[in-house]
Amino acid sequence: MGQVRPFAGAPAAGEPMVRIRGLTKSYHGKPVLQDIDLDVAAGSVMCIIGPSGSGKSTLLACINHLERIDGGRLWVGGELVGYREQGGKLHELPERQIARMRQRIGMVFQHFNLFPHMTALQNIMEAPVQVLRLPPEQARARAMQLLDRVGLAGKHGRHPAQLSGGEQQRVAIARALAMEPRLMLFDEPTSALDPELVGEVLAVMKDLARSGMTMVVVTHELAFAREVGDALTFMDGGRVVERGAPRAVLADPREARTREFLSRVL
């Protein structure tokens, strides 16, 4: 596989890549995230599990400022995300500055969201050319390298409809990596796939973890969390109920709610 620089920047020595303090978020007065405190060490893999509606996907969206927070603070690489702080109050940044922050945070969703009229190669090249103003030849070389990395070197000319779900998700991962992010967020990346296609996507994610990419992964793939995760967080009702080493949490959870959840999914 080709070697690709895993991220374009890093926090100061000793700083976590992601630092969250007192994060709250509500929809129409209903709390979705309540007083979230969380650190994700640079170069580590944080896996987040929990029942549907527990706030996992909303937390990812807040990290990328796809959702505005109602309270607390959230930093990526030591930089306050989406806001500047003045006089103890948060003021949302202009969209252009927020967009620049998002360039350093890759996100992969449940559904692949590829441009159907573009080939795999074109999908990966689009943002580097249009957003980073990379010369097309350079963007093409980077895209081909990434396609090789995700095991799709021979399928650069295929459109999404000509690819399996697993192949489309691997193109989506390559597309996110083309922006050279410092952090990758994965929101249930295998949940829309047929069971036999899950392994090929998880293999790419394992390779990313080995390369030193900082990753936050919302997943129901507990074997992946046990094998690849450096930390595991269990969420329920918009709160962090338990966190710790994945093998310890999965084998011997401290909290009754965690034990109840795992008894239903293991």
Side-chain angles (χ1 to χ4, degrees):
M1 289 185 178
Q3 292 300 309
V4 178
R5 185 157 55 97
F7 48 78
E15 281 272 329
M17 179 64 78
V18 180
R19 183 159 62 102
I20 302 172
R21 294 293 181 269
L23 184 66
T24 61
K25 171 70 181 177
S26 298
Y27 291 126
H28 309 295
K30 180 181 179 182
V32 178
L33 296 174
Q34 304 183 64
D35 201 28
I36 301 290
D37 288 343
L38 207 60
D39 285 346
V40 181
S44 73
V45 179
M46 166 73 77
C47 293
I48 302 177
I49 63 172
S52 177
S54 60
K56 307 182 301 293
S57 295
T58 302
L59 179 59
L60 287 194
C62 289
I63 294 173
N64 208 13
H65 202 68
L66 294 173
E67 291 284 356
R68 293 177 175 87
I69 65 175
D70 294 327
R73 303 289 188 273
L74 193 158
W75 297 263
V76 171
E79 186 175 19
L80 196 62
V81 174
Y83 299 91
R84 61 179 174 85
E85 186 168 1
Q86 187 173 358
K89 293 184 178 180
L90 295 182
H91 302 271
E92 191 168 25
L93 295 172
E95 184 57 37
R96 182 175 296 180
Q97 287 181 252
I98 293 171
R100 282 200 294 269
M101 286 184 172
R102 288 198 188 112
Q103 290 173 21
R104 299 191 295 271
I105 304 173
M107 190 155 186
V108 178
F109 299 90
Q110 295 178 29
H111 300 287
F112 326 119
N113 300 325
L114 299 176
F115 295 115
H117 62 289
M118 292 184 178
T119 64
L121 181 66
Q122 291 168 335
N123 266 282
I124 298 168
M125 289 178 58
E126 180 72 4
V129 170
Q130 298 298 328
V131 179
L132 300 182
R133 304 300 182 191
L134 216 61
E137 318 81 58
Q138 190 176 342
R140 178 185 174 86
R142 181 185 294 180
M144 290 297 290
Q145 190 180 16
L146 287 166
L147 280 167
D148 178 50
R149 183 176 190 179
V150 300
L152 295 173
K155 299 190 177 182
H156 63 278
R158 297 197 181 182
H159 288 78
Q162 299 171 301
L163 300 171
S164 71
E167 290 169 338
Q168 290 184 63
Q169 191 62 295
R170 284 185 279 161
V171 172
I173 293 172
R175 179 179 60 181
L177 291 174
M179 298 295 284
E180 296 193 309
R182 64 175 69 174
L183 168 69
M184 286 285 288
L185 309 176
F186 293 86
D187 188 4
E188 295 279 12
T190 61
S191 65
L193 300 179
D194 293 333
E196 65 268 23
L197 302 178
V198 169
E200 62 192 42
V201 173
L202 294 181
V204 170
M205 295 172 65
K206 290 175 185 177
D207 176 63
L208 276 181
R210 286 192 294 267
S211 79
M213 174 65 75
T214 309
M215 299 161 58
V216 182
V217 185
V218 170
T219 186
H220 60 274
E221 302 288 345
L222 299 185
F224 173 86
R226 183 185 295 109
E227 178 184 351
V228 181
D230 297 293
L232 181 66
T233 295
F234 171 63
M235 291 183 64
D236 187 44
R239 296 183 182 277
V240 171
V241 175
E242 185 164 349
R243 58 175 172 251
R247 292 178 186 273
V249 173
L250 294 173
D252 187 22
R254 298 186 305 271
E255 302 296 330
R257 181 65 186 98
T258 315
R259 290 195 294 272
E260 179 188 8
F261 172 78
L262 291 175
S263 71
R264 296 176 178 177
V265 298
L266 283 176

